Amino acid sequence: MGERGRPALFTIPAHRAFADALVAGLLAQHKGQMMALAQAMVLLPNNRAIRAVSDAFVRQSGGGLLLPRLVAIGDPDLGEQVGGALDPLGDGDPVPPAIAPMRRQMMVARLVQAARPGTDAGQALQLGQALGAVLDQMQVEQVALSALREIDLSADLSRHWQTSLAMFEILMAQWPEELARTGCIDLAERRNRLFTRLAARWGAHPPAGSVVAAGISTSAPAVARLLRRIGEMPHGMVVFAGLDQHMDDAAWEAIGPGEPDPVTGARAAGHESHPQYALKRLLHGMSATRDDVALWRWGSEHDARAVRGRNISNAMLPPRLTSRWRDLKTADRSLAGVEALEVATPGEEAQAIAIALREALETPGRTAALVTPDRQLATRVSAHLRRWGIEADDSAGQPLSRLPPGTLLIAMAEAVAERFAPVPLLTLLKHPLVMRGEGRLGWLEGVRALDLLLRGPRPQAGLEGIDLVLRPREDDRKRAVREAARAWWPKARALLEPLEAAFAGDTDLGGQLAALREGASALSGEAVWAGHQGHAAADLFAEMEAAAPEGPQSADPRGLPAMLDHLLGGVSVRPPQGGHPRIAILGLIEARLAQADLMILSGLNEGTWPGLPAPDPWLAPRIRRELGLPGLETRIGLAAHDFASALGAPHVLITRARRGSGGPAVASRFWLRLKAMAGPQWKTAERYAALARAIDAPEAYRPATRPAPAPPAAARPKVIPVTDVDRLKADPFAFYARRVLRLARLDPVDADAGPAWRGTAVHEILQKWAEAGTLDPADLEKRARAMFDQPQVHPLLKALWQPRLIEAVRWIAAEVAKDKAEGRIILAVEKEGRAEVAGVTLMGKADRIDRLADGRIGIIDYKTGKPPSARQVKAGFSLQLGLLGVIAELGGFDGIGRAEAGDFEYWSLAKKGDQFGYRERPVDPMGRRDKIVTDSFTAHAHEHFEGVANDYLLGGAPFRAEINPEVASYGDYDQLMRLEEWYGRDDG
């Protein structure tokens, strides 16, 4: 126990399990005085530390025990509220209450939006959160707001930082007035006052029972003074976690900060990323030195060997002293009990970790913990553990924005922000919480029908756009689907109409949140607020709505999804029931002071552990330094301390993946330090990687061979469109999938207007124009413009495609007029015909058939893109025009009779040179440029068709999958044919 003037300061080294060693010492000091222990108070940094110490008391008590009072006074981010045990009731004037976090965030966001007109509510909230963090740091470090006016760096700052600093000063001047209006103070300020008052009270009247401050590493001045007071009390102790006592004085001084400049008083910046930097600052704030700190004498059976602590210290030497590694002895490099695992991908890393955790459970009583800041990796490990029925206790929980209630609220906001565009609308309607219960099956049937109708170009915005999609149409191929959707849509529309109406006018943030709340309740039948996840969402929404009147005044619905994702993502939800008692998944904050027999430290890549420092949008780094605020790299130092502390477990496995989700990953500086220091003593755990690769490896590798189905003759089609002949010749399997299996690719939802859609629209325009008989160019242009004026056509499609189509139809009208002057007339448009060819019915539709001046006919095919090349046609892969000529010569077109085909043309609407529209002939009267002779084209097409018909339609040839570079492939059936498994292999 301490004596006045000589504080009782101790440290538990990194190689000891902090919680067990602390409890062992407290039990030893109070041996035979259990009631005195029950009257003691232990101050800890956070609630997770309280749980770790409570578990240690249970393990070591051996029976019933009255625990001391365990109080969490805050973590290094100073984000937790001060426990009620430290609030000195009845001692002087009461400390004003702290402003509610959500109310504060909304108020600061309103000030930001007022200072930066045009800022969206979501952006204002994020900037306000960063502003609040800077304000908290200034209050924690007890830097007066007036200090900004005492420094003048504007001449040395870029214009960006000058603007940010000027705005920051304005906001800081306004904030005290806002707080005074509420009668509250900031949480950080309240904590400072409570700590200061408590230190004064304990200085005058020390408590009768023991007071122990354990594991606290924050260097805030108010906390440092309180710890100093506790160490000086007769029954007080301060116990640090992992204060390095192996470093010599030169290494300790190299951490910094340096001595004050005798002229300016400024201190040289220290190594804020060093794991001991925060503890050194804390000792300085306590007016103590490392020599004042004694070694905690007690340990536990969960400790590692003492040499581990010394070698961790060697690995974490300041940068300019790492040259000492060359002279280290083998014993000083040894990391016995520490293994490293480096794998290729995060997926392999997660599987290997799950196997290591499973292995730990094979030993009765052995505990294991995964420590990682990578939440995606933690989620993957949890999923792998469920393979064996193991539910891991993930202390960090899941962000509310990724849980069903949060995703429903965000989906609603996205649907409103995009005015019920197809993708966000279907995402909302398909959400698992929507229409949950007995009526969900019927609801999903309606959603599926709507899904089929919304495939293709985006309709008009709003619910009226959906109404237009469901409107009955002539010659509707989707009549049954449309009728099913029309029968279901009124119910869905009634639920969505209030949401659309609420956002139609100028709605403030509170009104938007209320509309989302009511809409979520209606769509889910209140299921969104049920269960522990729903309760968390309800509590957060209640706070948001209550604080919204004091929040941003201008709220653009388009920024609402990002704002909700930000706010919901800040709330973590844990399941009410715990997981496996011997396995835990911990974040860095949760892992502090906790230790297991096996500690797995994962995600050791730069940017993950340590994470990249979050930039401060308000204060430049130099201004922060001048104000005495911690640098942005302080968090790296805290992460380094967490890493060094976790390395003290008896058995440690550190892991990383060489590749992250965004590409190759760089190994963490902590990983590289350990590897460089250990040298030949670096031990790997490749067995886990081998098991991870083997666990899902098939017993035998049997890739699919090139498919070649051979259906019986009865199943082979005897009627074939001319457009499918090319497919049959180029890729028989694709023809088989389409015509025998009757499988067709669905268009994507909200797709671009592709060639098929554009071609259908153009053909319809040209058909009606030709059927009108006048062939007036103005009429054609009018029809083209009218197509884009239809309500179901999206404005973006009109803006992008109408200009080029108008140019193309003007060209078509001019060409038709020119042909007419030369004696060429239009006989038919969109004319269907069929004929028996080679024992098969060949059918097709000619876009246009003209009567030439010499009495023969010309066949025209309109193309919105590039027509087939003459080489493709000659090879027999683009026979559509030739086969239509065959049908014509056999008299297959009603009203035209048998007619000799004398010309074949593609009329393309694509751009060539400086204009849209050009003509291309795949044939030539004299066979020039290696083209087919015009008079031989129908015979050429007939010959090729007869060959494929005899092989595939009348014969028994298998429909073999082919990849033909001569023919454009859209890959509709690549997955069905399992292309990736056989393509490129010689399978005979």
Side-chain angles (χ1 to χ4, degrees), residues 44-49 72-81 133 136-138 140-141 188 191-192 195 214-221 223 241 275 277-279 281-282 587-593 624 630-631 634-642 645:
L44 295 164
N46 53 42
N47 291 323
R48 181 70 196 191
I73 68 166
D75 59 23
D77 290 326
L78 296 177
E80 297 181 0
Q81 293 189 2
D136 286 341
Q137 288 179 338
M138 294 183 69
V140 165
E141 299 296 331
R191 288 163 56 84
N192 285 343
F195 290 152
I216 299 170
S217 59
T218 177
S219 57
V223 175
Y277 183 83
L279 287 175
R281 282 196 70 206
L282 176 58
L588 300 190
I589 293 178
E590 292 81 15
R592 288 169 188 163
L593 311 187
R624 295 178 63 89
T634 301
R635 291 181 181 272
I636 296 179
L638 296 174
H641 188 263
D642 296 335
S645 299

Side-chain angles (χ1 to χ4, degrees), residues 723-744:
T723 52
D724 276 354
V725 176
D726 298 341
R727 189 189 301 267
L728 175 59
K729 184 173 176 60
D731 188 356
F733 182 86
F735 176 87
Y736 165 79
R738 182 176 180 85
R739 290 301 172 186
V740 179
L741 299 183
R742 300 183 183 278
L743 299 176

Side-chain angles (χ1 to χ4, degrees), residues 800-815:
L800 293 178
W801 200 53
Q802 186 184 43
R804 61 184 300 169
L805 178 61
I806 296 301
E807 291 293 324
V809 297
R810 287 173 180 170
W811 171 83
I812 288 178
E815 291 296 307

Side-chain angles (χ1 to χ4, degrees), residues 933-956:
V933 176
T934 304
D935 293 341
S936 303
F937 190 28
T938 54
H940 173 81
H942 189 287
E943 180 184 355
H944 278 278
F945 175 72
E946 187 175 8
V948 296
N950 288 333
D951 289 341
Y952 296 107
L953 306 181
L954 302 177

Side-chain angles (χ1 to χ4, degrees), residues 422 456-462 464-471 473 750-753 757-758 761-762 764-765 783-803 805:
R458 176 182 292 196
Q460 287 277 16
E464 290 185 359
I466 308 300
D467 296 338
L468 295 171
V469 171
L470 300 179
R471 190 172 57 183
R473 301 180 183 181
D750 203 358
D752 292 333
W757 184 91
R758 297 198 300 266
V762 169
E764 183 178 353
I765 293 171
R783 292 178 184 275
R785 294 187 183 277
M787 183 195 72
F788 289 101
D789 291 335
Q790 297 178 52
Q792 66 267 24
V793 177
H794 195 274
L796 181 62
L797 180 61
K798 178 178 179 180
L800 293 178
W801 200 53
Q802 186 184 43
L805 178 61

Side-chain angles (χ1 to χ4, degrees), residues 586-611:
L586 309 172
L588 300 190
I589 293 178
E590 292 81 15
R592 288 169 188 163
L593 311 187
Q595 201 170 82
D597 297 324
L598 171 65
M599 296 288 284
I600 302 178
L601 316 181
S602 299
L604 283 164
N605 286 327
E606 282 294 307
T608 302
W609 193 354

Side-chain angles (χ1 to χ4, degrees), residues 567-791:
L567 292 175
L568 294 170
V571 177
S572 294
V573 181
R574 293 188 61 200
Q577 68 280 0
H580 196 285
R582 292 194 285 131
I583 285 184
I585 298 178
L586 309 172
L588 300 190
I589 293 178
E590 292 81 15
R592 288 169 188 163
L593 311 187
Q595 201 170 82
D597 297 324
L598 171 65
M599 296 288 284
I600 302 178
L601 316 181
S602 299
L604 283 164
N605 286 327
E606 282 294 307
T608 302
W609 193 354
L612 297 175
D616 182 355
W618 294 104
L619 297 182
R622 184 175 177 184
I623 296 179
R624 295 178 63 89
R625 201 160 50 243
E626 291 290 336
L627 291 175
L629 298 178
L632 299 179
E633 290 197 344
T634 301
R635 291 181 181 272
I636 296 179
L638 296 174
H641 188 263
D642 296 335
F643 178 74
S645 299
L647 278 176
H651 299 280
V652 179
L653 174 65
I654 61 175
T655 73
R656 70 171 293 260
R658 291 186 293 272
R659 186 175 184 85
S661 57
V666 178
S668 167
R669 65 190 73 183
F670 308 148
W671 175 286
L672 296 176
R673 274 178 166 270
L674 282 184
K675 189 173 183 179
M677 189 276 294
Q681 305 298 315
W682 181 257
K683 291 182 172 57
T684 61
E686 291 299 323
R687 63 187 183 279
Y688 293 121
L691 289 171
R693 290 189 294 268
I695 193 170
D696 292 321
E699 295 181 1
Y701 175 62
R702 293 187 294 270
T705 58
R706 185 193 298 259
R716 298 179 183 240
K718 300 301 186 290
V719 179
I720 178 173
V722 294
T723 52
D724 276 354
V725 176
D726 298 341
R727 189 189 301 267
L728 175 59
K729 184 173 176 60
D731 188 356
F733 182 86
F735 176 87
Y736 165 79
R738 182 176 180 85
R739 290 301 172 186
V740 179
L741 299 183
R742 300 183 183 278
L743 299 176
R745 182 182 67 89
L746 289 174
D747 290 332
V749 176
D750 203 358
D752 292 333
W757 184 91
R758 297 198 300 266
T760 300
V762 169
H763 281 68
E764 183 178 353
I765 293 171
L766 295 174
Q767 177 185 359
K768 293 181 178 180
W769 174 66
E771 289 175 346
T774 62
L775 299 182
D776 181 8
D779 180 49
L780 178 57
E781 183 172 338
K782 178 180 178 182
R783 292 178 184 275
R785 294 187 183 277
M787 183 195 72
F788 289 101
D789 291 335
Q790 297 178 52

Side-chain angles (χ1 to χ4, degrees), residues 96-100 103 176 178-186:
I99 187 170
R103 186 183 183 189
E178 290 289 323
L179 271 183
R181 178 177 58 82
T182 65
C184 301
I185 59 176
D186 285 312

